[in-house]
Amino acid sequence: MDLSTLQIPVEKTNESRISGVDFENLPFGKVYTDHMFITTHRDGRWQDARIVPYGPVSLEPAAKVFHYGQTVFEGMKAYKDTQGKAWLFRPEDNQKRLNISASRLVIPEVPKELFMEGLNTLLKTDLEWIPKQAGSSLYIRPFIFASGLGFHASPADEYTFIIACSPSGSYFSGKVSVRIEETYARAANGGVGFAKAGGNYAGQFYPTQLAVSEGFQQVVWTDDNTHEYIEEAGAMNIFVRIGDTLLTSPTSDRILDGITRKSILQLAQSEGIPTEVRKIKVTELLGAASDGTLREMFGSGTAAVVSPISSFGYRGKKYDLPELSDSYASHFKKRITDIQYNRSEDPFGWRYPVN
Ligand code: PLP
Ligand code: COI
């Protein structure tokens, strides 16, 4: 594929499904647009890049993704402003992170030009699917999987890269209550926790199911070694406000380097809000909860945006967080979404036009 003159052919659907979609009541990630981007890596290069109608992909049972979970993904969003213009948020960071994840799983990297051109062509084709409704956006899911065959436990000789999209509403419905986990671990040193590898999520389902059965929505993972430090949640990074200081754990082998996380840190620092990126002990949280200095906890992520945490559970006890009228969570949610939806200036150059 000559990337300098990349022209992605578009095979349009004969029958759009858009008239059947209730844009006023969008779930998260359950409705898919008319088209998808697809390309295959074979004989050492990505080839046959095209936009096709969204639909099933045919795979043989011996495809390695089924056996060894060799697959990585990204999560990003497109937003529409009041003029109907579409925007992305820091898409090049998702492209870079996809390749960081891919390399760790011996999946071939996707060149930036191919990723951006594929994404842009897809978004132009499905432009009508980007919701105009407040609070909704087009969730974009780029993913790569081993479509090559074999039961030998080794990297595949063929990969498929797809970008599929879903007009979506909120990820969480209602308040988010989390349980601090001490038994199970999401990631370990030297492992794949920093990658958006499919298996990281599959491994979380069982402990999360246990937490859900106890009335929580998500698990907050602690370090696998001591379980003394909070790390991140299932689908978001975690921030804590003690007094007026905003704290979050440093990224590591075990933690996803969230794009929303680093955007919040940059905004906070530019506003002179005291921030500390350091390890946070569970006992520090408990101490701050008991002396009243624990003012907020919130999660950050593309799907979750900024999600305030209403309470956390630890060793069978529930700790309620106060509801603040001037919370950092609502402040950063507004600042981030104002940039995303083109309602404010974009001081850091994060907004990226679809055209
Ligand atoms: N942590 C995990 C495990 C995630 O799946 C996500 C979602 O992408 C995040 C954190 C937040 O990352 P980002 O802000 O880049 O979406
Ligand atoms: C995202 O926020 O985009 C994610 O990837 C989280 C996902 C597991 C829904």
Side-chain angles (χ1 to χ4, degrees):
M1 198 181 306
D2 180 358
L3 297 176
S4 59
T5 55
L6 193 58
Q7 275 282 332
I8 295 182
V10 178
E11 182 199 329
K12 283 217 168 177
T13 179
N14 295 325
E15 229 175 306
S16 171
R17 286 175 283 101
I18 199 164
S19 60
V21 176
D22 179 2
F23 278 86
E24 302 296 331
N25 294 293
L26 288 170
F28 178 86
K30 287 193 173 166
V31 176
Y32 312 104
T33 65
D34 281 331
H35 299 92
M36 63 186 189
F37 170 75
I38 185 164
T39 175
T40 310
H41 192 276
R42 211 180 289 120
D43 304 324
R45 64 191 180 94
W46 290 105
Q47 39 193 291
D48 212 12
R50 61 207 191 281
I51 306 290
V52 294
Y54 174 91
V57 180
S58 168
L59 289 177
E60 286 193 36
K64 287 201 178 187
V65 64
F66 295 135
H67 308 279
Y68 305 118
Q70 202 189 1
T71 178
V72 292
F73 72 96
E74 265 306 320
M76 50 204 300
K77 281 176 174 172
Y79 311 85
K80 218 171 236 176
D81 68 21
T82 49
Q83 310 294 309
K85 186 154 178 41
W87 302 91
L88 291 159
F89 184 71
R90 310 186 74 171
E92 289 165 352
D93 291 48
N94 293 96
Q95 184 267 332
K96 278 190 209 139
R97 192 172 64 186
L98 180 69
N99 285 341
I100 290 170
S101 301
S103 301
R104 178 62 180 81
L105 277 95
V106 200
I107 290 173
E109 293 188 4
V110 176
K112 183 173 162 190
E113 297 80 357
L114 179 61
F115 182 97
M116 293 306 295
E117 197 52 37
L119 176 60
N120 210 46
T121 310
L122 175 62
L123 292 178
K124 280 192 292 183
T125 310
D126 280 341
L127 205 57
E128 287 305 308
W129 286 84
I130 305 177
K132 301 177 193 72
Q133 287 72 10
S136 296
S137 56
L138 187 75
Y139 186 72
I140 303 166
R141 176 52 64 86
F143 60 106
I144 318 174
F145 57 91
S147 43
L149 308 181
F151 295 142
H152 194 279
S154 53
D157 60 3
E158 186 197 288
Y159 296 85
T160 302
F161 173 41
I162 292 178
I163 308 178
C165 300
S166 170
S168 291
S170 316
Y171 189 70
F172 293 113
S173 48
K175 293 183 171 175
V176 183
S177 179
V178 296
R179 196 190 65 190
I180 299 178
E181 179 64 51
E182 284 194 285
T183 306
Y184 299 96
R186 172 185 178 274
N189 287 330
V192 296
F194 66 92
K196 275 184 88 77
N200 282 342
Y201 297 80
Q204 297 187 103
F205 292 164
Y206 178 69
T208 305
Q209 220 171 43
L210 295 178
V212 168
S213 72
E214 295 166 23
F216 301 96
Q217 277 76 49
Q218 290 252 302
V219 166
V220 170
W221 299 102
T222 50
D223 67 292
D224 63 302
N225 190 21
T226 66
H227 294 292
E228 283 181 22
Y229 296 91
I230 62 161
E231 301 222 302
E232 66 171 327
M236 50 193 195
N237 296 109
I238 294 285
F239 284 87
V240 175
R241 174 179 178 182
I242 297 182
D244 280 332
T245 303
L246 186 64
L247 301 156
T248 192
S249 310
T251 53
S252 70
D253 265 12
R254 304 183 302 269
I255 298 184
L256 192 78
D257 186 3
I259 294 164
T260 322
R261 172 188 175 280
K262 66 180 178 187
S263 305
I264 289 172
L265 282 175
Q266 206 169 330
L267 286 170
Q269 280 151 8
S270 75
E271 292 174 17
I273 291 176
T275 56
E276 289 181 20
V277 178
R278 62 161 171 84
K279 290 163 82 176
I280 305 163
K281 259 197 167 169
V282 182
T283 50
E284 184 180 358
L285 276 189
L286 300 179
S290 75
D291 70 18
T293 52
L294 179 62
R295 304 188 67 195
E296 286 180 62
M297 285 174 70
F298 60 88
S300 73
T302 300
V305 197
V306 177
S307 291
I309 291 170
S310 55
S311 63
F312 69 90
Y314 182 67
R315 296 195 176 167
K317 223 180 132 186
K318 209 164 177 190
Y319 298 81
D320 289 320
L321 290 148
E323 261 185 54
L324 302 182
S325 55
D326 58 344
S327 69
Y328 282 171
S330 54
H331 171 71
F332 289 117
K333 182 172 183 180
K334 180 165 188 324
R335 281 223 63 193
I336 295 253
T337 54
D338 279 353
I339 294 172
Q340 290 169 334
Y341 287 88
N342 192 26
R343 293 189 295 247
S344 73
E345 291 299 303
D346 176 24
F348 303 107
W350 291 338
R351 212 160 41 220
Y352 189 101
V354 174
N355 53 35

